[in-house]
Amino acid sequence: MQEGGIRDDGGRGAPKKERGERYAQILDAAIDVFADKGFFKARISDVAEQAGVADGTIYLYFRNKDELLIRIFEEKMGVMIDGVRAELLPVADPLERLRVFARHHFAQVEAHRTLAEVLQVELRLSNKFLKEYRPEKLWQYLAIIEECVRDGQACGRIRPEIDPYVFSWAFFGAMDELAMQWILQRRTRILPMPTAETVADVFICGISTSNPPNPPKKESA
Amino acid sequence: MQEGGIRDDGGRGAPKKERGERYAQILDAAIDVFADKGFFKARISDVAEQAGVADGTIYLYFRNKDELLIRIFEEKMGVMIDGVRAELLPVADPLERLRVFARHHFAQVEAHRTLAEVLQVELRLSNKFLKEYRPEKLWQYLAIIEECVRDGQACGRIRPEIDPYVFSWAFFGAMDELAMQWILQRRTRILPMPTAETVADVFICGISTSNPPNPPKKESA
Amino acid sequence: MQEGGIRDDGGRGAPKKERGERYAQILDAAIDVFADKGFFKARISDVAEQAGVADGTIYLYFRNKDELLIRIFEEKMGVMIDGVRAELLPVADPLERLRVFARHHFAQVEAHRTLAEVLQVELRLSNKFLKEYRPEKLWQYLAIIEECVRDGQACGRIRPEIDPYVFSWAFFGAMDELAMQWILQRRTRILPMPTAETVADVFICGISTSNPPNPPKKESA
Amino acid sequence: MQEGGIRDDGGRGAPKKERGERYAQILDAAIDVFADKGFFKARISDVAEQAGVADGTIYLYFRNKDELLIRIFEEKMGVMIDGVRAELLPVADPLERLRVFARHHFAQVEAHRTLAEVLQVELRLSNKFLKEYRPEKLWQYLAIIEECVRDGQACGRIRPEIDPYVFSWAFFGAMDELAMQWILQRRTRILPMPTAETVADVFICGISTSNPPNPPKKESA
DNA sequence: AATGAATGAGCTTTCATTCAT
DNA sequence: AATGAATGAAAGCTCATTCAT
């Protein structure tokens, strides 16, 4: 939908180059500016200035302002997905996989604060993205959580009455909200990595069949 | 009110009337319009038309468009807080109180879909509200959750290593995300009341000291 | 097409008021500005300034720049049509009617120089108007000529082999071109009223069955 | 060339090459594109694409977009002038010369539809060309008509009271308008060659001293 | 000679807000 | 209190033109 659509754009066609130095340059600038001012209040000229290019140059790489936001999301969610998949590779236990997922999520948020801001805040943005846009990448991200739950249920480690789909949104929602609060509050009441452990504890404990009051934490990070 | 410092309004002073038929009329219209079009894409003239008043009339009751959104939030979060407090009155058990909280939250979302849409979607909208605005009412709402946890820890029903503050955001985040998905998706994979029970189960089970694999559910909707 | 079309313009709808002081004020300003700078080079702000209103005000009366041009054409061609019909009322002889038509055309051009400029020059303007827009009013104007010829053929005053439709465009084209040259050239080689007589002479003489070398001119104007 | 005074081009000087394969290639592409989209809506990149060259290449042959249109006009009007002169060579009778002129005009329009579209439609386009540009080539074309009339008056074949200058514009205007309508309408109510005869008939008959109701047509197409 | 990425001025259009009535 | 016509600043986007390669 967002890429293959045959849109009559007056013959100019889509931007010729999709990747390259300029492309990443503008994308990064847009992340910063959107995170700072918010998508609607950010001006294209702000992004252009931040990227060190002329306003018009942006339109050589992105069809319009909306596409800039969509591309940020697609691009960066792809990184999140690839990243967490890589970390999950060596982990077999479904419950432990959820812990690894949480750790990775918060680690990324901590490492890329402005990115997280755009992903979390701006993506909830307008009808454009909430009603028309289908965030496939987000669904892929969620599907990883869902799969952990199904696996856990298959091997009897996770209670069968838990709906994996509902769980995935609950798990993601909890992490997302905490990450947002960490970003918004300059206070230290929420710290990414300890929070990751807490979230993992509560959710793992909440769905596990065996219920060790104190799950065997390895206190990493 | 408590949003002091939102903006320098040039000394014009606050609108003369805070309450009244017209006030509620406009507020309700704004909820509908914002839910439908999104805050940024909604026009004051849309709200005026929906409310059956002239554009200018809105400015007799609200300082500007931003205040309209803030007032919606304050007003309606107040209702949420009052509502859940009333329902919690007869419930003593801290864990059960969390279940009641979840039920009330989803019941409200189900009953007032457009309101929920505005509160959840639009409030996360701009840095205006995320960085400058202090959502005291939201904090009050969260504080109720936090208090349940503290109470539960005090009487030994809830594990002491759980950070009540972190928990409150995780709990709220999970419910909020699920509610948003219910609104966004016309599918029936997420149904408010069963979801409320699932969320309650997982979180209660996740923080409880005793861990009944199948918590004693009473009348799940 | 140009009026009744159901165009989804985002709910704002068509300008509320179609007539009034402001409407005529803007229309007249647009005629002047378009005549002076040409439609494409004229800016809305030029029209606004000339009309003594703010830019935005124009959009309260006209959907967009294109509609401004179309309205000018519709409005003023209507006047041309009504005017020539009134003058033709007392004239019975088909050949004489053509002469009256020519006189009226040039008289109008002479009286409303800028209007003529817009009608003639700008209407031939873009694909918008030449390929999409159907100038019904122009066709009505031409139909009057055509009717004269048919009447003349019916009563034997005009040669039957003349195609009335082709003639109407030839007659109009000749007058139009001459009017344009009169406007463009500040020289006095072409003067409207004598030119009207010459055109009438040539065309009447060219299609008449009887051929008085010197048609009975009444040398008016 | 003869368009001296069109614009102050800042002393850059004329393009280096005036003729060549590339030159004609671009000119032809421009004719097609201008005819299709209209001068103002046509983009230089459209012309470049159609010509199979890079955008910048066009500026090696033409100073700017305006000059492209002027060159088309000059170039092609030159062809028209040369062509009609060649056809007029063997024709002595002034009235017959007018008929040959009309035939040639419509034959060219029929043979080069897009060219005709550009010449007729686009040239009437902006004040740029109507007020600043002096279309000497068009005047030369008109002068041929004028000369026929003068010759005809000198030998008594054409009524002396006809102003040759006015006549030339009327004659051209009639043909031009008919040609434009033929192009615009996909209907067959106007066919070039029969129309040429009708126009010739009417005008010749209209200015001739002797007035044969049915002029001796020779081989009408 | 040829390229085409980059430029940035310029324009239409929108809409929150005002204020005379 | 209420109106709604008028305002005018603001911004997304286009595209003729340039120039380093």
Side-chain angles (χ1 to χ4, degrees), chain D residues 111-157:
Chain D
H112 311 290
R113 184 189 292 257
T114 58
L115 169 60
E117 226 167 323
V118 172
L119 292 188
Q120 294 173 40
V121 177
E122 300 305 333
L123 205 82
R124 280 161 173 65
L125 210 142
S126 73
N127 290 57
K128 181 74 191 169
F129 300 96
L130 286 168
K131 289 192 176 152
E132 293 179 32
Y133 174 58
R134 327 238 72 193
E136 309 267 1
K137 290 284 185 185
L138 180 60
W139 298 342
Q140 287 173 29
Y141 192 57
L142 268 289
I144 296 170
I145 301 170
E146 214 180 321
E147 194 194 324
C148 292
V149 177
R150 288 192 203 286
D151 290 348
Q153 289 173 327
C155 68
R157 301 286 318 272

Side-chain angles (χ1 to χ4, degrees), chain A residues 67-87:
Chain A
E67 186 169 280
L68 208 42
L69 185 52
I70 289 175
R71 285 272 178 250
I72 289 172
F73 185 71
E74 305 274 339
E75 202 97 339
K76 302 305 178 181
M77 276 308 291
V79 172
M80 287 288 269
I81 291 166
D82 294 345
V84 76
R85 278 192 178 139
E87 291 211 14

Side-chain angles (χ1 to χ4, degrees), chain C residues 179-195:
Chain C
M180 175 146 45
Q181 295 309 318
W182 171 68
I183 287 165
L184 293 177
Q185 302 174 27
R186 296 262 46 100
R187 321 176 183 183
T188 46
R189 290 204 57 179
I190 298 171
L191 290 176
M193 293 326 292
T195 297

Side-chain angles (χ1 to χ4, degrees), chain D residues 65-105:
Chain D
K65 196 184 174 191
D66 285 350
E67 185 170 280
L68 210 41
L69 186 51
I70 290 174
R71 285 274 177 247
I72 289 172
F73 187 71
E74 305 276 338
E75 203 96 340
K76 301 304 178 180
M77 277 308 292
V79 173
M80 286 289 270
I81 291 166
D82 294 345
V84 77
R85 277 191 179 138
E87 291 211 14
L88 287 175
L89 272 184
V91 185
D93 178 42
L95 293 174
E96 194 56 21
R97 285 169 73 87
L98 287 176
R99 182 177 303 277
V100 169
F101 194 105
R103 282 178 185 156
H104 178 264
H105 186 90

